[in-house]
Amino acid sequence: QFLRPCEFAHSFRNGMLVLYNEDVGETSRPVFYPYKCTGCPAGHPCRCMAAAFPRHIVAQKFFDIYYPFEKLLRIHQDESLDEDGMVDYARLEGDHFFKKIFLDQGIDEETYNFILALAFGRPQFPVNFLEKYQIAIHFRGEGQTGKSVLAWVLMQMFPSGSVGIINNSGQEKFILGDLVRTSRRSPNNRVVVCTEADNSLAINRTQFCAMAAGDGMTVTIKGGTSVRIDKWMSQVILFGNTQLFVGKDEKGSVYRRMLQISFDRMVPHDELDGLLQERIYQELPIILTKSMGLYLDMVQRYKGKGGFWKFCPQYFRDERQKSRLQTNLMLKFLNDLPGVLMVHPDAYIS
């Protein structure tokens, strides 16, 4: 009767990882609790945290691998604090194969850390829970670039019943109703994923903007009645080969909310790693810890310092502009005719 399930707890062969302590709040950081002490000196506080094991918590998912907790202990030492005095999770090692997917696309280290925080740490929380960035992430690019592996990693972070899948061939009228009907966490899943998103995406522009902003909406359930959702809670992560909402963006609503990450460099056939998923599965403990730590640090560091687009790396602003040229056909037309048209400096396109 004293046990309670914790959405932020994951168990491993040698202990439990608690990504976020709800009692502590946004100053909480990931903590690993071994099942037994790893040999801390007698008469000293238990450095490995085994003595503080939260026996009242039930983990939501089990990973049949060992957690490399010495790596986490190492960055919690004073020398691993960053310039703001926070634990520097960017220095946590053990995500080599996962990181290589991004480095192969020419993405730098700073941008990689932001992506890790936003695409893999932030989905652990409901929309608008710790911040109000009001963005949805779209991994767009060629096939054979690693996007499917990223989608697999994201879904590995949650129990299967907590991941909502958008089928791109579903009926637009009922797609969100299907998500509500099949969710174990009424009315929303913890994260909603579409692995083959294209311009015929089964959710329309208005629904997409409401989902990214955490707004309320009414959804239609097939064979049932409409259901009113006061606040959309599930984070939205899309994967696909093409731009979304081409020619459908009105007044920049998609432009303001779409965080695009481009994967345009195909991996040559002779460099493909047939064991990549197995290698990355061994890195999941570090990916979980690092993504959550970086996200919580981001929330604390930039709190009250303006919207997301003000402090994010330039990479995301450049990608947003590229996406805007595709979703706003008039802007694309003007951009493709440099020197032909004279544009008044005070003019703008809505």
Side-chain angles (χ1 to χ4, degrees):
Q1 62 181 353
F2 299 106
L3 297 177
R4 64 179 178 87
C6 178
E7 294 179 334
F8 304 107
H10 302 274
S11 60
F12 297 84
R13 289 183 183 179
N14 55 334
M16 179 186 293
L17 173 67
V18 180
L19 294 171
Y20 178 77
N21 187 329
E22 297 173 86
D23 297 328
V24 175
E26 66 182 50
T27 58
S28 171
R29 294 296 182 271
V31 179
F32 180 76
Y33 300 93
Y35 292 134
K36 61 182 180 179
C37 186
T38 58
C40 297
H44 292 78
C46 187
R47 176 174 173 266
C48 69
M49 298 298 292
F53 191 93
R55 302 182 184 279
H56 62 289
I57 287 179
V58 178
Q60 290 292 282
K61 185 160 186 175
F62 171 70
F63 294 92
D64 193 17
I65 51 179
Y66 288 95
Y67 187 96
F69 66 94
E70 285 293 341
K71 294 181 179 180
L72 182 58
L73 286 175
R74 196 175 303 132
I75 70 153
H76 276 277
Q77 305 304 311
D78 290 341
E79 61 267 21
S80 290
L81 298 179
D82 64 15
E83 58 188 16
D84 295 320
M86 300 179 185
V87 174
D88 191 0
Y89 285 93
R91 294 182 59 181
L92 184 57
E93 299 177 350
D95 56 344
H96 169 77
F97 293 101
F98 184 72
K99 182 191 294 187
K100 188 177 184 298
I101 295 176
F102 295 90
L103 299 182
D104 287 346
Q105 298 300 319
I107 294 173
D108 60 47
E109 190 90 14
E110 179 192 16
T111 304
Y112 165 71
N113 289 332
F114 263 75
I115 294 172
L116 199 56
L118 295 167
F120 299 92
R122 186 171 180 257
Q124 299 284 344
F125 299 96
V127 176
N128 297 333
F129 186 75
L130 293 179
E131 36 72 14
K132 295 186 178 180
Y133 297 160
Q134 298 190 356
I135 54 175
I137 296 175
H138 178 211
F139 289 93
R140 181 211 59 79
E142 302 293 333
Q144 201 175 303
T145 55
K147 299 190 308 301
S148 60
V149 175
L150 300 184
W152 173 81
V153 169
L154 178 64
M155 290 187 279
Q156 288 296 308
M157 293 180 166
F158 302 91
S160 58
S162 297
V163 180
I165 304 296
I166 296 178
N167 185 343
N168 211 36
S169 61
Q171 293 177 278
E172 179 180 306
K173 183 178 180 180
F174 300 115
I175 192 71
L176 295 185
D178 291 342
L179 288 175
V180 171
R181 184 179 58 185
T182 59
S183 175
R184 297 179 185 176
R185 181 184 178 185
S186 180
N188 300 120
N189 297 277
R190 291 179 66 188
V191 63
V192 171
V193 178
C194 181
T195 57
E196 295 295 337
D198 58 27
N199 199 42
S200 60
L201 188 64
I203 55 176
N204 60 42
R205 178 186 59 83
T206 303
Q207 292 170 330
F208 169 81
C209 292
M211 294 165 76
D215 293 339
M217 65 178 80
T218 299
V219 301
T220 303
I221 297 180
K222 196 170 186 177
T225 59
S226 297
V227 175
R228 172 66 186 174
I229 299 176
D230 294 329
K231 294 181 180 179
W232 182 267
M233 298 170 61
S234 307
Q235 303 286 356
V236 180
I237 312 290
L238 307 173
F239 301 83
N241 299 335
T242 63
Q243 294 283 353
L244 303 179
F245 306 110
V246 175
K248 302 176 183 178
D249 190 13
E250 295 183 13
K251 299 183 180 179
S253 56
V254 174
Y255 168 74
R256 293 192 301 272
R257 294 176 175 88
M258 180 77 76
L259 186 70
Q260 178 174 284
I261 302 167
S262 292
F263 277 61
D264 295 324
R265 301 180 183 180
M266 296 179 62
V267 179
H269 284 284
D270 58 351
E271 296 182 16
L272 291 175
D273 185 352
L275 297 176
L276 184 60
Q277 279 198 3
E278 288 79 358
R279 301 186 202 279
I280 291 180
Y281 184 77
Q282 298 298 319
E283 296 182 341
L284 278 175
I286 297 300
I287 297 170
L288 274 165
T289 306
K290 192 171 181 177
S291 60
M292 181 63 92
L294 288 170
Y295 173 65
L296 292 172
D297 283 353
M298 178 189 298
V299 170
Q300 193 170 348
R301 179 175 288 112
Y302 298 111
K303 188 174 184 178
K305 296 185 179 179
F308 171 78
W309 298 106
K310 184 176 180 180
F311 63 78
C312 69
Q314 184 62 37
Y315 170 88
F316 295 114
R317 288 187 282 270
D318 293 341
E319 287 296 319
R320 181 173 68 159
Q321 182 62 17
K322 287 164 57 177
S323 175
R324 189 185 189 192
L325 293 176
Q326 295 297 324
T327 56
N328 192 313
L329 297 182
M330 177 59 74
L331 185 63
K332 186 176 188 303
F333 170 74
L334 296 176
N335 187 76
D336 291 343
L337 295 173
V340 177
L341 297 177
M342 299 295 292
V343 181
H344 192 280
D346 295 330
Y348 67 93
I349 298 175
S350 62

